[in-house]
Every structure is written in C-alpha cells, then in structure tokens.
Amino acid sequence: MKLGRTLGRGGRPLRIGYGRIFHEGCADSPVPTTEADFRRMHHLEGAELEAAAGLRGTELKSFFPHAELTGFLQASRAAGGVDAVPLSSSLAVPSGPVTRECFEWLLERLTTRLREAGPLDGVYLALHGSMDVVGLEGSPEAEIVRRVRALLAPEAMVAASFDLHGNMTPALVEQLDVLVAYRTNPHWDLAPTGFRAGNRLIRALRGHVTPVKAWRKLPVVLGGGMTIDFVSPMRAVFRAMRAMEQRPGVLATSLFMVHPFTSSRELGWSVHVLTDGDQSLAERVADELADLAWQASETPIPEFYSADDALARAATSPWRRLGPVTLVDTDDIVGAGAPGGSTRILEALVRSPRPLRALIPIHDPALYATLDGEALGSVHDVVVRGTPGYAQPEIALRAKLVARSDSELGRRVLLAAGEAHVAICAEPPLPIHPRFWAELEVDVRAADVMVQKNFFHYRIFHLGYSFEHIPVTTSGATSVRRVLERAQRVPVRPSMTLTDWREGDRALRS
Ligand SMILES: [Zn+2]
C-alpha cells in the first residue's frame, strides 16, 4: 500500500517523518553488533523520540544533548507549518558488523512507524554512511532508503544527513533529494547538520527551491593528513566549501573522507553538491571541490611507530617531565569500531628494559569476570588475552588488584604489575576523558605513558599536560596495513600512485 500524498500548501501543514539508523562498522572486529547494543545505547520511538529531540530533551544521552533530529525539529519550527512526525531512532557505538537479524529489526521498527504515520510529504533520516551488515552486498544505507521510499508516494521527498566518514554509492545518492554531511572532524555539528537537511527539505517540498545534484567519488581511501577540519591540509577545503555555499544557487556542499574499515570493495572519498535547479552549476562546483579534495589527499597520514619504538621514544621524550606521553593505538581505535582488546603495547612494555609508569586499557571480559569478585589488595597470577577471537598475544602477569569502577565509562578493574597499570575492561574501553582513570584512583598527570583508543578527540581533555602524541601500529581491527592490503575494485590512493581522480570517479560511480 502506498501512503497518500498531501501537498503541504494552501494552509495545510507539511507532514514530514524523521528518524535515524546510525552505526559505523568495523569489518575486522570480532564483536558483532546486535539489537541489544542499540537498545543499550540509543533506541527511541514515537512520543519518546519527540520529547528527546525537543530543546528541553536529551537526544543522545552521554554524547550529545542535541543532535541531528533536534536540529531537524528546529528547522521545522523555524519554517512554520510543518507537522514533524517522530518515527524511530537507533544508534550503537562503532563496533563489528551489524548482524542480519539486527538490521532487519532496525528496518522493521522504522517501517512500522512509517506505516502508522499516515500520509507523509517527506522523510528525513539521520544516517552514518559506513554501516557494515553481515552478508549484505552494497550500501546498507541504500537499502534503508529503498525500504523507506517503497512506502512513500513517488512525489514524496527524502532527505538524509551523514557522518563525513560515510561511503557514498550510486544506489544511495540517486535515491536522495537532499543530502548533507557533518563539516567538523571530530564531529560536534550534529544539530546544525540536521537543521540544514530539514531546511533544504522543507524549502524543496514547498517548491521554493528545486534541488539538483552532482557528485564525484575519488579513488582515495587514506590521505589528508590527520583529516581534522581545522588543521591543514583539510582546513582549506572546508573553508572553500563554506565560500561555495555563498554563491547564488548553491544549496549545499558535502565532503566525505571515508571510514576505511568496512568490508566494502568500493571505498572512496566523495564530494556532493546541491544547487537550485542548475545542473551545470552543480557539475562545475562538484569538479572544483573534487580537485581541492584530491589535492589535499596527497598529504599522507601521520607516520606510525611500532610499540617497541614508541615506548623507547616516550622514555627519552623531554615532554615526559610535564605529563604523560600519549600512545595512540591506531590499530585498535574503539571510536572507529575496534574492540579495544589489543595486548601488544602491554607485551612491549613487559619486555621493555625501561620502567615506565604506564596506563593501559584492555578489553578482556573473561578476565574481568574472574577478578570481579576478588578483594582489593589481593595478588593474582593472571593471563591477559584481550577481546575473545581477536588473536592477541597472551601476557602472563603477577598483579595486584588495586581498584574497580562501574560507571557510564564501563565496568573495569585496575591491575598494578610493577609500574604498569592495566585497566581490565568488561566493555570496549574509551578512556577519552581523564575520569576513566580518576574513577580508578589514578591521576593521569603522574603517568609517564598513557594509551588512547581514539584518534584525536581525547586531546581536548588532556590539553594542559600531554604534549607528545605517538601513533602506534599494533595489528588490530583498525589497522591501516590491512586497509592497504584489502582489494578494492579500482586502484586507490595511497596504495597506488595516481595523478588524476577522473578515471577512478567514472569507475566508482558506474
Ligand atoms: Zn565520523
């Protein structure tokens, strides 16, 4: 059954449904993502969703009080005459591929609410763009939009916003009337992104603008330095995008620096441009933006160190006297979907000749369970194995159980073995904030070395005392080496030396 269409003009409000299915997948994580993960983190429907996305509500608890859907509701309110209809909203933290059962459950919740919503003029969806679903070829987000479209009248419009790490595909882009992406990395502009999507969609539904699009897909999976929006080389690209949007007729510009850790064989950066009815303008701006992004992608990502070299460098670092040197475990980035159970830095520390007061978080739910009932102060001979199924070296330690914590930062116990302090975690650890260690009665500022499972965001919380940041490669689920070894359908940077993006673009968009 097709839902009927209403015009939303002549004094009758526009009816627009809104919802979210949001997950960033990591193909090499042995931890699958299930319905329970979404239910634990974020799953709201109907009136509950409407309240959470209001200005007095909390949309994504413990992340963002106001995210995309709050922004969308604000755009609806600002436009006036819009009846915004809450559907369903689901988000889980980045982790392994979503199981097929879970994906069908997510779609079932969204489409059930859509059927119950009655006639709609349009739908707005907050998506990630780099979901990975077990056994599903092609873009999961394209499948989500396809199922939504199947329930709408042909004239209804669909808008979607994305994380700027999304992997755009022809099947996805072609189905969308309005497409926008975050403009900040790390991401803080979730609500403004939802506002822009809602604003463009409402104007289009009212016939005030006629969105036409052009996009390009660049044969790049890694590049652009640290890909931070306010740091060279990407700063100049984001600044140019804002200037492009000031040109008459340009409705939106988007840049995607793809999350490279899904199972897709068609990964690539992309650019997307929406104009008001002017196809040739859209094509010209898309080419211009693609040229800028291509140029910026020549800047390589930072150089990585082995765990042994990183510890040696930290031991002699002059910055160590001012606070901990940070080792970024780039192969086990929990914020990008890795499980956080790598034992390789601990292994290097154990064999290091230099005693370093080190803080190391490790996901090891089995070891956590055996230590959970033990008394503080007790001494144990333990074997740290990391995440089950993660093929990590086993590290034998004689260690004292010195603290435990159970908070929104996860369940964990602290083991002290000589100078090494290891937080054994029941859940994938994200020690971005010093509170992760403070809750275990550890002052991070007194450490020589602290291990992070996050690329950049943690720096905001350790600005005053951690001055050296060493990227470490340890062979885990977010390994850049594995990205480079994974076969892609077309030659891509940086595995191949390419002088032009156009040939790759034609292949990737065909
Ligand atoms: Zn992202």
Side-chain angles (χ1 to χ4, degrees), residues 22 24 128 162-166 182 184-187 257 259 335:
F22 196 99
E24 183 177 77
H128 185 286
F162 293 91
D163 185 294
L164 59 69
H165 292 110
Y182 300 160
T184 57
N185 187 37
H187 317 313
M257 303 178 286
H259 167 74

Side-chain angles (χ1 to χ4, degrees), residues 402-474:
V402 290
R404 60 164 46 92
S405 179
D406 180 351
S407 75
E408 63 174 30
L409 299 178
R411 294 168 296 158
R412 55 217 190 275
V413 294
L414 184 67
L415 293 178
E419 292 292 288
H421 285 68
V422 186
I424 300 295
C425 304
E427 293 86 23
L430 213 42
I432 291 176
H433 198 280
R435 211 170 65 229
F436 178 92
W437 294 106
E439 287 174 354
L440 294 168
E441 289 150 49
V442 174
D443 179 4
V444 288
R445 287 168 300 186
D448 295 314
V449 163
M450 119 181 118
V451 173
Q452 279 293 348
K453 302 281 178 179
N454 162 267
F455 280 119
F456 187 85
H457 201 95
Y458 72 89
R459 290 196 193 195
I460 294 162
F461 301 108
H462 301 271
L463 275 179
Y465 50 83
S466 187
F467 299 103
E468 184 164 22
H469 308 268
I470 306 177
V472 186
T473 176
T474 57

Side-chain angles (χ1 to χ4, degrees), residues 212-279:
V212 297
K213 64 199 163 206
W215 72 294
R216 305 288 182 263
K217 188 150 176 174
L218 308 180
V220 178
V221 296
L222 290 167
M226 295 184 71
T227 67
I228 306 290
D229 68 288
F230 52 87
V231 172
S232 175
M234 297 319 301
R235 180 177 53 196
V237 183
F238 284 96
R239 190 178 290 165
M241 286 164 65
R242 283 191 290 273
M244 286 168 179
E245 282 192 6
Q246 298 305 311
R247 295 184 200 168
V250 178
L251 296 175
T253 59
S254 304
L255 166 69
F256 294 90
M257 303 178 286
V258 73
H259 167 74
F261 305 116
T262 66
S263 58
S264 172
R265 300 283 186 257
E266 309 224 323
L267 290 175
W269 284 25
S270 46
V271 302
H272 186 280
V273 177
L274 274 183
T275 65
D276 181 10
D278 190 337
Q279 189 66 49

Side-chain angles (χ1 to χ4, degrees), residues 111-429:
T111 54
T112 297
R113 287 283 176 175
L114 201 51
R115 282 195 189 87
E116 291 168 0
L120 293 172
D121 299 295
V123 167
Y124 163 59
L125 297 170
L127 304 173
H128 185 286
S130 282
M131 252 182 128
D132 207 345
V133 176
V134 176
L136 184 74
E137 294 271 323
S139 158
E141 282 85 358
E143 180 63 14
I144 294 167
V145 178
R146 193 182 69 75
R147 302 254 195 126
V148 166
R149 276 234 176 258
L151 293 172
L152 298 172
E155 326 81 279
M157 290 186 177
V158 179
S161 63
F162 293 91
D163 185 294
L164 59 69
H165 292 110
N167 188 41
M168 295 299 106
T169 66
L172 177 56
V173 172
E174 278 155 23
Q175 295 186 83
L176 294 171
D177 299 289
V178 170
L179 183 160
V180 297
Y182 300 160
R183 292 243 181 93
T184 57
N185 187 37
H187 317 313
W188 57 263
D189 62 333
L190 281 62
T193 304
F195 186 96
R196 286 194 294 136
N199 171 277
R200 294 349 176 233
L201 175 63
I202 292 163
R203 285 158 66 196
L205 284 169
R206 295 227 156 102
H208 299 166
V209 294
T210 307
V212 297
K213 64 199 163 206
W215 72 294
R216 305 288 182 263
K217 188 150 176 174
L218 308 180
V220 178
V221 296
L222 290 167
M226 295 184 71
T227 67
I228 306 290
D229 68 288
F230 52 87
V231 172
S232 175
M234 297 319 301
R235 180 177 53 196
V237 183
F238 284 96
R239 190 178 290 165
M241 286 164 65
R242 283 191 290 273
M244 286 168 179
E245 282 192 6
Q246 298 305 311
R247 295 184 200 168
V250 178
L251 296 175
T253 59
S254 304
L255 166 69
F256 294 90
M257 303 178 286
V258 73
H259 167 74
F261 305 116
T262 66
S263 58
S264 172
R265 300 283 186 257
E266 309 224 323
L267 290 175
W269 284 25
S270 46
V271 302
H272 186 280
V273 177
L274 274 183
T275 65
D276 181 10
D278 190 337
Q279 189 66 49
S280 77
L281 176 64
E283 302 290 344
R284 280 201 310 280
V285 176
D287 280 332
E288 198 180 323
L289 183 50
D291 281 335
L292 288 174
W294 178 250
Q295 216 170 20
S297 78
E298 271 172 18
T299 305
I301 58 172
E303 187 195 345
F304 296 162
Y305 292 78
S306 71
D308 293 311
D309 290 350
L311 286 170
R313 188 178 154 133
T316 56
S317 168
W319 298 110
R320 185 156 72 91
R321 272 174 276 131
L322 300 174
V325 171
T326 303
L327 306 190
V328 178
D329 193 350
T330 60
D331 284 21
D332 195 31
I333 297 292
V334 173
S342 170
T343 63
R344 289 177 201 270
I345 293 179
L346 177 61
E347 181 189 40
L349 187 75
V350 166
R351 69 168 169 253
S352 166
R354 307 167 188 85
L356 284 169
R357 186 176 159 86
L359 306 180
I360 306 179
I362 296 179
H363 177 234
D364 190 333
L367 181 54
Y368 174 84
T370 67
L371 293 169
D372 189 30
E374 299 293 332
L376 293 183
S378 56
V379 175
H380 303 267
D381 287 306
V382 299
V383 178
V384 184
R385 295 188 173 87
T387 306
Y390 203 25
Q392 294 294 313
E394 298 188 353
I395 316 297
L397 293 178
R398 164 153 287 206
K400 191 177 189 178
L401 179 62
V402 290
R404 60 164 46 92
S405 179
D406 180 351
S407 75
E408 63 174 30
L409 299 178
R411 294 168 296 158
R412 55 217 190 275
V413 294
L414 184 67
L415 293 178
E419 292 292 288
H421 285 68
V422 186
I424 300 295
C425 304
E427 293 86 23

